[in-house]
Amino acid sequence: YIKQVALIVYLAHLGSCVPAERATIGLHDQIATRIRSFESVSLPQSSFFIDCSQVAFAMRHASDRSLLLLDEFGKGTNDADGMS
C-alpha cells in the first residue's frame, strides 16, 4: 500500500490520471522512501541504528512539502538477532 501512495502522488504531479473518483493531492517538492535497510557485515552497526540513521537523514533533508514514506522501521531489532 505504501508504494501505491508514492506512485499515485507521483502520477498526479505528472498530470496523469490517478485511480480514484476524486483526489485532492497537495504539492510536494520531493518523495523520500525508506522501505528497508541494507546491512553491512563490515560495519558493526545494529539494524536499529541503521534504521535510525536513515530516518534522521531523510528528516534532515525534508521540508514541510516533502512526502516521507517509511516501512518496516525497527524490523529485526530483537535482542536475539544481535549485530547485523
Side-chain angles (χ1 to χ4, degrees):
Y1 178 74
I2 197 166
K3 293 177 186 176
Q4 292 173 351
V5 170
L7 185 59
I8 289 170
V9 169
Y10 184 69
L11 288 173
H13 283 286
L14 291 176
S16 181
C17 296
V18 296
E21 291 180 17
R22 185 177 69 206
T24 303
I25 300 173
L27 294 175
H28 296 88
D29 60 352
Q30 65 178 327
I31 300 174
T33 62
R34 217 285 313 158
I35 303 299
R36 63 182 170 141
S37 56
F38 293 98
E39 301 167 357
S40 173
V41 294
S42 63
L43 297 174
Q45 296 173 339
S46 67
S47 298
F48 185 72
F49 181 80
I50 294 170
D51 288 348
C52 287
S53 298
Q54 291 174 345
V55 171
F57 180 84
M59 292 182 73
R60 273 194 311 270
H61 293 87
S63 71
D64 58 342
R65 291 267 187 202
S66 299
L67 176 62
L68 301 178
L69 302 169
L70 306 174
D71 191 22
E72 296 183 1
F73 181 80
K75 185 176 181 179
T77 59
N78 190 355
D79 292 338
D81 292 341
M83 300 298 283
S84 45

